[in-house]
Amino acid sequence: MAITPVPPVDMSGEGPDDDAVARASGRTAIGAFVRRPAALLALAVLAIIILGAVLAPWLAPHDPNTQSPADQLQGPFWTEGGSTEFLLGTDELGRDLLSRVMFGARPALALAFMAATISAVVGIVAGLVAGMFPRRVGAAVMWVCDVQMAFPFVVLALVVLTIRGSSFGSLLFVLAAFGWVQFARVVRAEVMRVKQMDYVLAARSAGGTTFSVVVRHVLPNVITPVLVVWTFNLASVLLLESALSFLGLGIQPPDSDWGQMFATGRAYLLQHFWYALFPGLGITLTVLCVNVLGRTARDVLNPRLR
Amino acid sequence: MTHPAYAPETTPVDLPGAGPAVPVLQARDLRTVIARGQDRHPAIDGITFDVNPGEIVALVGESGSGKSLTALSVLRLLKGAVQNDGGTVTVGGRDLLGLSAKEMRAVRGSEIGMIFQDPMTALNPFQTIETQVAETLRLHGEWSKAALRERILTLLTEVGIVNPPMRMKQYPYELSGGTQQRVMIAMALANEPKLLIADEPTTGLDATVQAQIMVLIKRLAADHGTGVLIITHDLGLVSGISDRTIVMYAGEVVESGPTAAVLSSCRHPYTRALIEATPRVEGGAERLTAIPGSPPELHPRPTGCRFHPRCALAQDACRTDHPHLQSRAEDAVDEFRCWFPVEDAPLGGLRIVQEDETNTGIDEDAPVLEELAEVARHRTGTALRATDLRRDFKVGRRAVTHAVAGVSLEVPFGETLGIVGESGCGKSTLARLLAGLDQPTSGTIERDESESATSGREARLDFHRYAQFVFQDTFGSLDPRRTVLQSVSEPLQNLTELSTSDRRRTALQYMKLCGLPASMAGRYPHELSGGQRQRVGIARALVVEPAVVVMDEPMSGLDVSVQAQIVNLLQDLREEAGLTAVLVSHDVGVVRHLSDRVAVMYLGRVVEEGPADEVLSDPQHPYTAALVSAVPLHDPEEEAKRVPILLKGDVGDVSSAGTGCAFAARCPVAQDVCTTAEPALVPLGETATRAACHFPGSLTTAIQEIA
C-alpha cells in the first residue's frame, strides 16, 4: 500500500544514460558532493583551519612562546587597548594569542584526527570480527568493550599519563583507547544485520571466501554509521583533550594547544573573554565542519541517497 | 464441524425481501489527488461503484493502479499530500466525506470493518487475543464482563478458530498466520459492520489456508448480508470469491461487471492482458502475456486512453481521445473504457500488448545462447541426486526442528523439477541444501561424475560452479552498493580465471541474454524495477554456466505482469538453452507451467513426486489433492465445479506424532494404520509417480464422486 507515489522506473533502458550525463547529474560521489553548498563551505572552512595549523611556522606573526611582559592581556585590535601588533590580543604572559591559536591547532587537530582514526580502524576490525564470529571471539570482544565502558575513563587516563608521563604519544594512546568501543559496538550490530542479507549468501554462492565477502559486501554496507560515529568521536576527543589539559595532563606548557589555552583562558573569562573564545571557536568550528562533512559523505557514498 | 474436509458449498445470497437492495457502499465520482507544491495530480480519477448487501466486490489491478488508495479514500485514512478532491462516499445513508474526524472514527470499526494484509503487524504482540478483540468491542459500546467474554467466544468460533477458550488467552506469536488472519476477521466483524474492506486478505497465506479464509468470507457475506470490498492483485482469488469485479488502471475504472463476465468475455485489452499473464493450475496456456513497462506515472498521464502506450491494438483515436465507460448493449451489466473493445477470442489468440525487451523472454540474438545450448547437449544423465537428505535446526536449548526429514530425489539433466508445499514445509531449506548454500545434517548430494570435485575449498568452489542459486527477495539478494555489472560478474571473478575485460564481456552477454541492455550495467539495484532486479539475479546465476540452477520462489513478490516476464524468461531458458533447474514455489500454477516433474513436500518430507501434469491433474496423495483443490481456477465455469478440500488447521497447528504419517492428523481420509505406520515413498503401479500414502488416490476419487 504505497501512498506516496514513487515515479516508475524507466524500463526502456534508453534515454540519457551514458557516463558523461551520469557524472554531470551527480551520479558519482564527487558530482553529488559538489552540488551541496553546505558541504563545500564546511570543506573550505576546515581547509583554512588546517592550512593555518600546518603553515603556522611561516604564517604566524610572532613566536608563540615569546613573552612580552609589558603587553599582558591585551584585547584584540578592535577593542580598547588593543593594537594591530597583536591582532587577537595577548595572554597573561604577553604572548601573541593569534600565533598561539595557530600553533595550538597543531597538537589539537593532530591528536583528534589521529585518535579518531585509530579508534575507527581498531573498532571496525574488532566489530567485524565480533559480528562475523559472534560465538567465542565476538563474546570476548564484547566483554572487553563492556569492561571498558564500565571503567571511569578519566581515572584510566590519569593512571596512564601519570605513569608514562604526558607526551604526544601517550596522549594519543589514551585518546584512541577511549573511542574504539563505540565503533566496535556499532559495527558489530550492523554486521549482524548485513550478514543475514541474501546478497551475502549470494556472494558465497558466487564462490566468495569469508574474507572477500567481508571486504566486498559487508564492510561497504556497514561503513555508513561509522562515518557518523567518527565525526562524533572526533568532537569528543577534542573536548576530552581539553579536559585532560585542564587537569594538567594534556600538552605541557610552554607549548600551546587549544584545549590547554581554553582551560587557562577560563580563569580570565569575566574580564578577558577573548582568551578562551578563540581556541573555543577553533574547537567548535572544526567539530561543526567535520560533522557536516561526515553527514555529506554518508549521503554521497550511498548510491540511494545521492 | 464433523466433516471439516468437505466445504459446504456457499450459495449466492438471496436475502429476505429481495428487490432493489440499498447498497451498503456507494462511491460516486470519488477523486483523490496528490498535492506536490502548487500541483494537484489526480491519483483516483472519479471512480463510481456500489457494494450491495451480501455482495463481494473485487478491486483488481497492478500495483500503482490506485486500488489500495481507493480503499483508503473510502475509509478517509488519507494523510499528508494525499487528499480527497470531491465525490461522495455513502455508507448507511451518510456521506462519509462530510463527517467530522470524531464521527468518522465511530464509523470505522463499527459500520465498516477492515482486514489488512499482514496480520502479524496488524496485531499488537504484547496483548492477548482477548484483550485486542475486547478493545474493538469496547470502543463502540458498553459491555459487561461476562457478555464481553461471551461475545468474543462467539466471534472466534464464528471465524472457525479451533478451541477459542484457549486461543483467546494466547498472544499473536503463538498463532499461525492463518489463525491470526481469522482473529483479524473476527475483530473486523466484532461490531457487525455493514461493510467489510479487505486489502489483500490472503496474500502471504498458504493456498490451503487461503481456501479456508475465502470460504469463511463468502459464508459471512451470505449469513450476515455484509457487503465486502476485496482489494487484490490475484485474479484467481477474484474468480474464487467475488460476485462483481472492478478493474482499475492509472486511477480509473477500465472495466467492471459480474466476475464471470469480466473473466470470460472481457472487453478491455488491459483486463485480458492481466488474465493472460497469470499461470494456470489447470495447465493450458502456452505462453504468458507479460505487459511491457509499468503503469503510467501520476503526472503526466498519457493522453487519450491511459493504456495506449502498452496496447498493441491502439489506434490513432486511442492516442488522442480519452474513452469513457460504456456498455456493449443498452441493458448490458458490464462496462469498459475502450474505443476498440476486444471481441471474444480464445486466450492467447490475440497480440494485445506491445513487445519490447521488457516483456519478451530471452534475447535470442545473444551469442551465449548457442554456447549454453551446446553445453547442455553434452550433459546427460542425472544432474543431482539427493539421498536421504536431512537438515535439523536447533530451536532454543533442547528442541530440534527437522526442516528436511529424509528427502531422496533426482534431477535429470535438461529437466526442471518443481518443489511445492506450504510455508514451513522445508522447501526453501531443501533448495539451499541442493545449491550447496547449507550443509545437510545427514544424507548425501551426488552430482554428475564427470564434473566431480576434489576436496576442501576447491570442492566448495567446484560445487558453486556446478549449482547456482536464484533468490526470492530481489532487493535483498543484490548488494545495494554494487552496480548491475559488478553483481553479474562477481561469480566470474571468484570461480573462473578470466581477465577483467573478458569478465566484463561475458557478464554483458549474459545480461543481454536475460533482457538487460548494456546501458543497465552501471545502475544500482534501487534504480531497477523488480522484474529487472530478478533478471540480474538470473543472469548472475547463469554466468558461470552451471549445470543446475536452483530457484527459490523467483517470482513471488512481483506484480502479475512482471511475474509473467520472468516466467517467460525461464520458459525460454528451459526450451532453448536446455536449462536444468530446481524451482521452489508455493504457486501451483507457476510450477505446473514451468516444471517437467514436481515434488510435493509436507513437513520436511516428499509426499508425492512425478511428472508435473500427472501429479497435478490426478493427485494421489491426499495432501496434493487438497493443495491443488485449494487454488481457484480462472474459468468461471470450471471454478463453479471446483470443490475445495478444507484441511483442519494449518501446518503449524497440528504437531506431528512420532509415528505414522505426518499428514494423518489433518488428512480427511486417514484410517487407523495411518497413525501407526509411516508410509514409504513408493512407485504407484505403472505410472511414473511415487506417493507416500497408505491409500493413494482415495481422496481424488472421493472428490470426483461428489462433483
XYZ file of all heavy atoms in Angstrom, chain B residues 308-393:
680
model
N -2.886 3.186 -23.763
C -2.460 3.033 -25.157
C -0.958 2.814 -25.336
O -0.560 2.075 -26.225
C -2.979 4.194 -26.027
C -2.090 5.397 -26.074
N -2.351 6.549 -25.369
C -0.927 5.620 -26.729
C -1.380 7.424 -25.577
N -0.505 6.881 -26.385
N -0.069 3.375 -24.487
C 1.358 3.131 -24.768
C 1.761 1.664 -24.639
O 2.784 1.248 -25.167
C 2.078 3.981 -23.704
C 1.076 4.986 -23.252
C -0.240 4.295 -23.364
N 0.946 0.867 -23.927
C 1.317 -0.529 -23.731
C 0.424 -1.454 -24.564
O 0.545 -2.678 -24.472
C 1.179 -0.894 -22.246
C 2.035 -0.006 -21.343
C 1.653 -0.138 -19.887
N 2.278 -1.283 -19.245
C 2.013 -1.665 -17.989
N 1.128 -1.005 -17.272
N 2.613 -2.693 -17.478
N -0.477 -0.888 -25.335
C -1.509 -1.677 -26.013
C -1.155 -1.861 -27.486
O -0.808 -0.896 -28.169
C -2.852 -0.952 -25.893
S -4.231 -1.801 -26.654
N -1.242 -3.088 -27.973
C -0.917 -3.350 -29.376
C -2.099 -3.035 -30.282
O -1.957 -2.950 -31.490
C -0.487 -4.792 -29.558
N -3.273 -2.903 -29.703
C -4.465 -2.674 -30.516
C -4.778 -1.189 -30.663
O -5.762 -0.807 -31.268
C -5.669 -3.373 -29.875
C -5.489 -4.872 -29.588
C -6.707 -5.424 -28.864
C -5.258 -5.627 -30.882
N -3.920 -0.350 -30.065
C -4.213 1.085 -30.049
C -4.206 1.654 -31.453
O -3.392 1.284 -32.295
C -3.188 1.811 -29.187
N -5.136 2.552 -31.722
C -5.170 3.260 -32.996
C -5.096 4.750 -32.715
O -4.976 5.171 -31.564
C -6.457 2.904 -33.743
C -6.544 1.407 -33.987
C -7.748 1.011 -34.798
O -8.283 1.811 -35.554
N -8.160 -0.223 -34.632
N -5.192 5.567 -33.758
C -4.997 6.995 -33.577
C -5.944 7.590 -32.538
O -5.538 8.401 -31.710
C -5.171 7.732 -34.911
C -3.972 7.486 -35.799
O -2.945 7.003 -35.249
O -4.055 7.743 -37.008
N -7.190 7.164 -32.582
C -8.164 7.716 -31.650
C -7.737 7.482 -30.207
O -7.950 8.314 -29.329
C -9.530 7.082 -31.901
N -7.112 6.315 -29.953
C -6.710 5.966 -28.585
C -5.648 6.920 -28.062
O -5.498 7.106 -26.865
C -6.170 4.550 -28.531
S -7.308 3.341 -29.201
N -4.871 7.483 -28.990
C -3.768 8.348 -28.556
C -4.231 9.756 -28.241
O -3.556 10.489 -27.540
C -2.682 8.385 -29.631
C -2.044 7.019 -29.812
C -0.942 6.967 -30.852
N -0.631 5.569 -31.084
C -1.043 4.863 -32.141
N -1.744 5.454 -33.078
N -0.763 3.580 -32.240
N -5.390 10.110 -28.783
C -5.813 11.499 -28.605
C -7.060 11.631 -27.739
O -7.171 12.583 -26.970
C -6.104 12.152 -29.966
O -6.962 11.272 -30.691
C -4.823 12.365 -30.746
N -8.000 10.701 -27.846
C -9.276 10.879 -27.148
C -9.389 9.926 -25.976
O -9.143 8.725 -26.097
C -10.437 10.629 -28.113
C -10.378 11.603 -29.278
O -9.943 12.741 -29.039
O -10.719 11.201 -30.402
N -9.767 10.484 -24.843
C -9.928 9.675 -23.638
C -11.271 8.947 -23.690
O -12.317 9.607 -23.765
C -9.866 10.594 -22.406
C -9.828 9.846 -21.127
N -10.619 10.167 -20.058
C -9.091 8.791 -20.740
C -10.371 9.330 -19.065
N -9.450 8.492 -19.460
N -11.275 7.621 -23.682
C -12.558 6.908 -23.785
C -13.353 6.992 -22.484
O -12.765 7.151 -21.415
C -12.138 5.464 -24.069
C -10.739 5.350 -23.588
C -10.130 6.711 -23.602
N -14.690 6.917 -22.577
C -15.474 6.868 -21.347
C -16.002 5.460 -21.146
O -15.944 4.623 -22.042
C -16.631 7.866 -21.340
C -16.941 8.437 -22.682
N -16.653 9.733 -23.013
C -17.454 7.863 -23.785
C -16.994 9.945 -24.267
N -17.483 8.824 -24.758
N -16.530 5.251 -19.954
C -17.089 3.932 -19.667
C -18.323 3.731 -20.532
O -19.172 4.605 -20.614
C -17.466 3.837 -18.186
C -16.348 3.487 -17.215
C -16.882 3.501 -15.797
C -15.732 2.130 -17.534
N -18.402 2.582 -21.167
C -19.562 2.311 -21.995
C -19.931 0.841 -21.877
O -19.149 0.036 -21.387
C -19.239 2.640 -23.451
C -17.976 1.932 -23.902
C -17.733 2.091 -25.382
O -18.652 2.096 -26.148
N -16.464 2.194 -25.762
N -21.137 0.533 -22.317
C -21.574 -0.854 -22.290
C -21.743 -1.347 -23.716
O -21.969 -0.563 -24.630
C -22.910 -0.984 -21.549
O -22.717 -0.668 -20.202
N -21.645 -2.646 -23.885
C -21.817 -3.238 -25.196
C -23.236 -2.998 -25.719
O -23.446 -2.570 -26.831
C -21.518 -4.740 -25.070
C -21.901 -5.636 -26.214
C -21.147 -5.367 -27.490
N -19.812 -4.867 -27.334
C -18.736 -5.456 -27.832
N -18.848 -6.581 -28.459
N -17.561 -4.909 -27.698
N -24.203 -3.264 -24.851
C -25.586 -3.080 -25.287
C -26.311 -2.259 -24.226
O -25.783 -2.013 -23.157
C -26.260 -4.435 -25.459
N -27.517 -1.821 -24.557
C -28.283 -0.979 -23.647
C -28.384 -1.567 -22.255
O -28.134 -0.914 -21.253
C -29.703 -0.797 -24.211
C -29.781 0.172 -25.377
C -29.432 1.589 -24.956
O -30.094 2.105 -24.048
O -28.476 2.169 -25.523
N -28.750 -2.843 -22.203
C -29.055 -3.445 -20.906
C -27.883 -4.246 -20.341
O -28.019 -4.967 -19.374
C -30.271 -4.363 -21.056
C -30.043 -5.397 -22.150
O -29.099 -5.198 -22.949
O -30.787 -6.384 -22.182
N -26.720 -4.134 -20.959
C -25.599 -4.960 -20.501
C -25.159 -4.540 -19.109
O -25.256 -3.380 -18.734
C -24.436 -4.853 -21.470
N -24.677 -5.518 -18.351
C -24.318 -5.231 -16.976
C -22.855 -4.825 -16.841
O -22.448 -4.320 -15.810
C -24.573 -6.466 -16.079
C -26.026 -6.519 -15.690
C -24.112 -7.725 -16.759
N -22.064 -5.110 -17.879
C -20.653 -4.776 -17.732
C -20.308 -3.500 -18.482
O -20.925 -3.140 -19.475
C -19.766 -5.935 -18.184
C -20.075 -6.345 -19.607
O -21.234 -6.129 -20.027
O -19.183 -6.860 -20.278
N -19.303 -2.817 -17.967
C -18.864 -1.562 -18.560
C -17.371 -1.647 -18.840
O -16.647 -2.334 -18.130
C -19.083 -0.408 -17.579
C -20.515 -0.081 -17.317
C -20.599 1.088 -16.350
O -19.969 1.032 -15.278
O -21.285 2.063 -16.686
N -16.924 -0.936 -19.864
C -15.489 -0.914 -20.150
C -15.136 0.448 -20.726
O -15.996 1.173 -21.227
C -15.098 -2.027 -21.114
C -15.987 -2.113 -22.312
C -15.730 -1.357 -23.449
C -17.106 -2.930 -22.295
C -16.565 -1.417 -24.540
C -17.950 -2.998 -23.390
C -17.684 -2.239 -24.513
N -13.850 0.762 -20.673
C -13.385 2.066 -21.097
C -12.411 1.852 -22.252
O -11.204 1.810 -22.045
C -12.694 2.750 -19.917
C -12.403 4.222 -20.106
C -11.557 4.725 -18.954
N -12.290 4.844 -17.704
C -13.042 5.896 -17.353
N -13.161 6.892 -18.177
N -13.651 5.929 -16.204
N -12.928 1.647 -23.452
C -12.054 1.345 -24.582
C -12.756 1.710 -25.879
O -13.959 1.482 -26.033
C -11.704 -0.148 -24.583
S -10.562 -0.614 -25.894
N -12.013 2.294 -26.832
C -12.599 2.652 -28.118
C -12.792 1.430 -28.999
O -13.721 1.352 -29.790
C -11.715 3.658 -28.869
C -11.645 5.026 -28.246
C -10.527 5.681 -27.854
C -12.735 5.899 -27.952
N -10.847 6.898 -27.328
C -12.205 7.072 -27.380
C -14.129 5.811 -28.110
C -12.990 8.140 -26.961
C -14.906 6.880 -27.705
C -14.343 8.025 -27.145
N -11.875 0.489 -28.887
C -11.931 -0.682 -29.771
C -11.932 -1.951 -28.935
O -10.921 -2.635 -28.849
C -10.740 -0.663 -30.734
C -10.648 0.620 -31.506
C -9.739 1.601 -31.152
C -11.500 0.850 -32.581
C -9.654 2.793 -31.853
C -11.433 2.046 -33.280
C -10.516 3.020 -32.923
N -13.060 -2.241 -28.271
C -13.089 -3.373 -27.334
C -12.726 -4.684 -28.025
O -13.014 -4.889 -29.204
C -14.532 -3.377 -26.845
C -15.297 -2.569 -27.821
C -14.349 -1.557 -28.362
N -12.105 -5.568 -27.242
C -11.691 -6.872 -27.736
C -12.923 -7.749 -27.907
O -13.801 -7.786 -27.047
C -10.739 -7.538 -26.718
C -10.145 -8.793 -27.300
C -9.667 -6.569 -26.286
N -12.995 -8.420 -29.050
C -14.093 -9.377 -29.245
C -13.738 -10.667 -28.523
O -12.596 -10.884 -28.137
C -14.269 -9.658 -30.742
C -14.624 -8.436 -31.553
C -15.966 -7.842 -31.135
O -16.869 -8.615 -30.775
O -16.102 -6.601 -31.145
N -14.724 -11.531 -28.368
C -14.427 -12.832 -27.776
C -13.448 -13.567 -28.673
O -13.645 -13.673 -29.867
C -15.721 -13.665 -27.653
C -16.612 -13.101 -26.566
O -16.044 -12.540 -25.608
O -17.836 -13.216 -26.682
N -12.383 -14.043 -28.090
C -11.390 -14.807 -28.838
C -10.684 -15.687 -27.839
O -10.609 -15.347 -26.666
C -10.391 -13.860 -29.513
N -10.192 -16.831 -28.291
C -9.512 -17.707 -27.334
C -8.324 -16.968 -26.712
O -7.658 -16.181 -27.380
C -9.057 -18.892 -28.186
C -9.160 -18.440 -29.596
C -10.225 -17.403 -29.636
N -8.088 -17.230 -25.436
C -6.993 -16.575 -24.749
C -5.684 -16.878 -25.455
O -5.461 -17.985 -25.919
C -6.911 -17.052 -23.296
C -8.014 -16.539 -22.376
C -7.843 -17.116 -20.989
C -8.029 -15.021 -22.326
N -4.834 -15.873 -25.544
C -3.541 -16.063 -26.194
C -3.638 -15.947 -27.700
O -2.642 -15.935 -28.392
N -4.845 -15.857 -28.252
C -5.015 -15.819 -29.690
C -4.759 -14.455 -30.290
O -4.623 -14.314 -31.491
N -4.708 -13.441 -29.437
C -4.510 -12.094 -29.947
C -3.221 -11.532 -29.374
O -2.837 -11.845 -28.263
C -5.652 -11.192 -29.476
C -7.004 -11.336 -30.151
C -8.010 -10.489 -29.400
C -6.921 -10.904 -31.599
N -2.596 -10.673 -30.175
C -1.462 -9.969 -29.595
C -2.008 -8.659 -29.067
O -2.401 -7.792 -29.837
C -0.392 -9.723 -30.655
C 0.981 -9.497 -30.075
C 2.010 -9.509 -31.178
N 1.948 -8.259 -31.946
C 2.620 -7.153 -31.612
N 3.412 -7.165 -30.572
N 2.524 -6.074 -32.341
N -2.079 -8.554 -27.753
C -2.760 -7.377 -27.208
C -1.826 -6.362 -26.593
O -2.224 -5.264 -26.298
C -3.821 -7.770 -26.156
C -3.249 -8.795 -25.215
C -5.078 -8.245 -26.805
C -4.188 -9.152 -24.117
N -0.579 -6.724 -26.351
C 0.325 -5.722 -25.783
C 1.532 -5.536 -26.685
O 1.897 -6.408 -27.462
C 0.816 -6.106 -24.365
C -0.329 -6.071 -23.395
C 1.489 -7.463 -24.375
N 2.111 -4.363 -26.580
C 3.335 -4.058 -27.307
C 4.441 -4.981 -26.829
O 4.464 -5.379 -25.684
C 3.770 -2.611 -27.024
C 2.756 -1.583 -27.409
C 2.728 -1.330 -28.901
O 3.392 -2.024 -29.673
N 1.937 -0.366 -29.311
N 5.371 -5.283 -27.706
C 6.514 -6.069 -27.255
C 7.769 -5.222 -27.294
O 8.020 -4.506 -28.255
C 6.703 -7.295 -28.158
C 5.775 -8.405 -27.763
C 6.258 -9.754 -28.217
O 7.287 -9.824 -28.918
O 5.614 -10.736 -27.860
N 8.518 -5.280 -26.243
C 9.852 -4.694 -26.258
C 10.711 -5.560 -25.358
O 10.274 -6.629 -24.928
C 9.831 -3.225 -25.815
C 9.322 -3.061 -24.398
O 9.316 -4.044 -23.641
O 8.913 -1.952 -24.035
N 11.949 -5.112 -25.055
C 12.816 -6.029 -24.320
C 12.354 -6.237 -22.882
O 12.863 -7.094 -22.195
C 14.274 -5.551 -24.352
C 14.590 -4.364 -23.454
C 14.261 -3.039 -24.113
O 13.668 -3.050 -25.216
O 14.597 -1.993 -23.536
N 11.360 -5.439 -22.438
C 10.943 -5.628 -21.052
C 9.945 -6.763 -20.884
O 9.706 -7.202 -19.785
C 10.304 -4.350 -20.478
O 9.113 -4.081 -21.210
C 11.235 -3.174 -20.551
N 9.334 -7.211 -21.966
C 8.361 -8.267 -21.733
C 8.548 -9.497 -22.606
O 7.731 -10.397 -22.589
C 6.927 -7.729 -21.873
C 6.592 -7.366 -23.291
O 7.465 -7.009 -24.065
N 5.331 -7.467 -23.638
N 9.619 -9.535 -23.381
C 9.892 -10.784 -24.070
C 10.694 -11.673 -23.130
O 11.076 -11.271 -22.051
C 10.702 -10.522 -25.342
O 11.781 -9.661 -25.000
C 9.844 -9.876 -26.396
N 10.957 -12.877 -23.557
C 11.746 -13.787 -22.727
C 13.212 -13.501 -22.913
O 13.665 -12.369 -22.733
N 13.983 -14.528 -23.319
C 15.405 -14.292 -23.532
C 15.617 -13.572 -24.853
O 14.748 -13.556 -25.716
C 16.206 -15.607 -23.548
C 15.630 -16.556 -24.589
C 16.240 -16.227 -22.188
C 16.459 -17.797 -24.776
N 16.783 -12.959 -24.988
C 17.160 -12.327 -26.233
C 17.818 -13.383 -27.109
O 18.902 -13.868 -26.803
C 18.140 -11.182 -25.929
C 18.509 -10.423 -27.188
O 18.298 -10.962 -28.290
O 19.011 -9.305 -27.052
N 17.134 -13.768 -28.190
C 17.635 -14.898 -28.970
C 18.867 -14.563 -29.787
O 19.519 -15.444 -30.336
C 16.513 -15.438 -29.858
C 15.439 -16.054 -28.991
C 14.255 -16.566 -29.768
O 14.332 -16.592 -31.002
O 13.270 -16.937 -29.128
N 19.187 -13.280 -29.893
C 20.393 -12.899 -30.629
C 21.641 -12.986 -29.757
O 22.746 -12.831 -30.246
C 20.276 -11.459 -31.150
C 19.066 -11.318 -32.052
O 18.691 -12.339 -32.663
O 18.501 -10.212 -32.126
N 21.444 -13.197 -28.473
C 22.605 -13.205 -27.586
C 23.524 -14.365 -27.971
O 23.075 -15.502 -28.101
C 22.166 -13.343 -26.140
N 24.807 -14.056 -28.191
C 25.732 -15.095 -28.656
C 25.899 -16.247 -27.660
O 26.216 -17.365 -28.060
C 27.052 -14.354 -28.851
C 26.884 -13.021 -28.222
C 25.441 -12.744 -28.077
N 25.656 -15.982 -26.370
C 25.883 -17.052 -25.393
C 24.796 -18.114 -25.430
O 24.961 -19.195 -24.872
C 25.984 -16.500 -23.965
C 27.342 -15.889 -23.754
C 24.882 -15.537 -23.659
N 23.673 -17.811 -26.099
C 22.575 -18.776 -26.108
C 23.016 -20.096 -26.733
O 22.811 -21.173 -26.174
C 21.380 -18.182 -26.874
C 20.178 -19.108 -27.007
C 19.669 -19.531 -25.641
C 19.053 -18.413 -27.781
N 23.660 -19.983 -27.898
C 24.114 -21.190 -28.591
C 25.122 -21.949 -27.724
O 25.084 -23.165 -27.618
C 24.731 -20.792 -29.944
C 25.026 -21.943 -30.873
C 23.900 -22.979 -30.923
O 22.703 -22.618 -30.999
O 24.236 -24.179 -30.859
N 25.989 -21.177 -27.083
C 27.007 -21.770 -26.220
C 26.358 -22.561 -25.084
O 26.725 -23.701 -24.806
C 27.836 -20.621 -25.657
C 29.196 -20.999 -25.124
C 29.888 -19.751 -24.574
O 29.863 -18.701 -25.263
O 30.416 -19.826 -23.455
N 25.348 -21.948 -24.446
C 24.653 -22.610 -23.349
C 23.972 -23.880 -23.838
O 24.044 -24.934 -23.200
C 23.587 -21.682 -22.763
C 23.997 -20.723 -21.664
C 22.787 -19.905 -21.225
C 24.552 -21.488 -20.472
N 23.290 -23.776 -25.009
C 22.586 -24.925 -25.549
C 23.570 -26.048 -25.856
O 23.287 -27.232 -25.611
C 21.815 -24.512 -26.804
N 24.739 -25.666 -26.384
C 25.763 -26.645 -26.736
C 26.257 -27.390 -25.488
O 26.331 -28.615 -25.454
C 26.936 -25.911 -27.421
C 28.014 -26.805 -28.000
C 27.469 -27.769 -29.036
O 26.485 -27.416 -29.711
O 28.022 -28.890 -29.141
N 26.553 -26.621 -24.439
C 26.990 -27.233 -23.179
C 25.905 -28.169 -22.662
O 26.179 -29.289 -22.217
C 27.318 -26.137 -22.141
C 27.620 -26.765 -20.785
C 28.497 -25.308 -22.601
N 24.641 -27.705 -22.758
C 23.540 -28.500 -22.229
C 23.402 -29.822 -22.985
O 23.088 -30.855 -22.396
C 22.243 -27.698 -22.312
N 23.648 -29.781 -24.312
C 23.503 -31.006 -25.108
C 24.489 -32.084 -24.665
O 24.228 -33.258 -24.780
C 23.712 -30.692 -26.593
C 22.403 -30.346 -27.306
C 22.572 -30.381 -28.815
N 23.323 -29.239 -29.327
C 22.783 -28.033 -29.521
N 21.527 -27.812 -29.229
N 23.515 -27.057 -29.999
N 25.640 -31.657 -24.175
C 26.646 -32.634 -23.779
C 26.453 -33.166 -22.372
O 27.166 -34.035 -21.930
C 28.058 -32.034 -23.913
C 28.477 -31.920 -25.336
N 28.358 -30.749 -26.048
C 28.975 -32.836 -26.189
C 28.781 -30.947 -27.287
N 29.156 -32.207 -27.397
N 25.493 -32.589 -21.684
C 25.255 -33.070 -20.329
C 24.072 -34.025 -20.363
O 22.956 -33.645 -20.710
C 24.951 -31.897 -19.392
C 26.203 -31.110 -19.039
C 25.854 -29.815 -18.350
N 27.051 -29.233 -17.727
C 27.172 -27.943 -17.418
N 26.197 -27.135 -17.648
N 28.272 -27.510 -16.862
N 24.308 -35.267 -19.993
C 23.217 -36.229 -19.955
C 23.292 -36.984 -18.644
O 24.311 -36.993 -17.972
C 23.315 -37.237 -21.109
O 24.642 -37.763 -21.117
C 22.987 -36.595 -22.437
N 22.187 -37.635 -18.312
C 22.161 -38.413 -17.079
C 21.586 -37.591 -15.940
O 20.742 -36.718 -16.155
N 22.044 -37.886 -14.731
C 21.472 -37.251 -13.552
C 22.336 -36.080 -13.113
O 23.529 -36.231 -12.889
C 21.374 -38.272 -12.404
O 20.640 -39.389 -12.882
C 20.652 -37.676 -11.217
N 21.709 -34.925 -12.992
C 22.467 -33.749 -12.588
C 22.698 -33.737 -11.085
O 23.802 -33.485 -10.613
C 21.725 -32.485 -13.009
N 21.646 -34.011 -10.329
C 21.744 -34.029 -8.872
C 20.983 -35.233 -8.351
O 19.894 -35.546 -8.840
C 21.116 -32.772 -8.269
C 21.891 -31.462 -8.266
C 21.039 -30.367 -7.639
C 23.212 -31.590 -7.530
N 21.584 -35.913 -7.376
C 20.851 -36.999 -6.729
C 20.993 -36.839 -5.226
O 22.091 -36.928 -4.678
C 21.395 -38.365 -7.150
C 20.680 -39.519 -6.436
C 21.284 -40.866 -6.760
N 21.025 -41.257 -8.132
C 21.961 -41.452 -9.049
N 23.236 -41.279 -8.722
N 21.655 -41.823 -10.268
N 19.870 -36.551 -4.585
C 19.883 -36.406 -3.119
C 19.418 -37.719 -2.514
O 18.443 -38.304 -2.978
C 18.958 -35.280 -2.701
N 20.150 -38.193 -1.510
C 19.782 -39.445 -0.868
C 19.587 -39.234 0.628
O 20.514 -38.820 1.316
C 20.877 -40.509 -1.089
O 21.243 -40.484 -2.470
C 20.381 -41.887 -0.725
N 18.376 -39.459 1.080
C 18.030 -39.398 2.498
C 18.558 -38.127 3.159
O 19.186 -38.167 4.224
C 18.566 -40.641 3.229
C 17.831 -40.839 4.559
O 16.673 -40.386 4.658
O 18.426 -41.419 5.477
N 18.288 -37.014 2.525
C 18.806 -35.730 2.996
C 18.051 -35.273 4.238
O 16.825 -35.309 4.277
C 18.584 -34.705 1.875
C 19.644 -33.662 1.606
C 21.015 -34.291 1.498
C 19.287 -32.935 0.319
N 18.813 -34.860 5.252
C 18.189 -34.349 6.471
C 18.856 -33.066 6.897
O 20.059 -32.921 6.745
C 18.331 -35.361 7.622
C 17.429 -36.548 7.489
C 17.775 -37.643 8.480
N 17.077 -38.851 8.106
C 15.812 -39.085 8.428
N 15.155 -38.217 9.168
N 15.219 -40.187 8.025
N 18.069 -32.144 7.415
C 18.637 -30.936 7.985
C 17.842 -30.585 9.224
O 16.631 -30.344 9.152
C 18.553 -29.781 6.978
C 19.120 -28.462 7.494
C 20.635 -28.542 7.617
N 21.231 -27.236 7.896
C 21.547 -26.814 9.129
N 21.309 -27.580 10.160
N 22.118 -25.631 9.293
N 18.525 -30.604 10.367
C 17.876 -30.258 11.639
C 18.317 -28.872 12.080
O 19.460 -28.483 11.865
C 18.268 -31.260 12.740
C 17.872 -32.677 12.359
O 16.947 -32.821 11.545
O 18.502 -33.624 12.871
N 17.414 -28.145 12.684
C 17.783 -26.860 13.287
C 17.485 -26.930 14.768
O 16.449 -27.449 15.176
C 16.974 -25.722 12.668
C 17.362 -25.411 11.258
C 16.551 -25.795 10.199
C 18.549 -24.750 10.979
C 16.904 -25.515 8.895
C 18.907 -24.465 9.682
C 18.085 -24.852 8.636
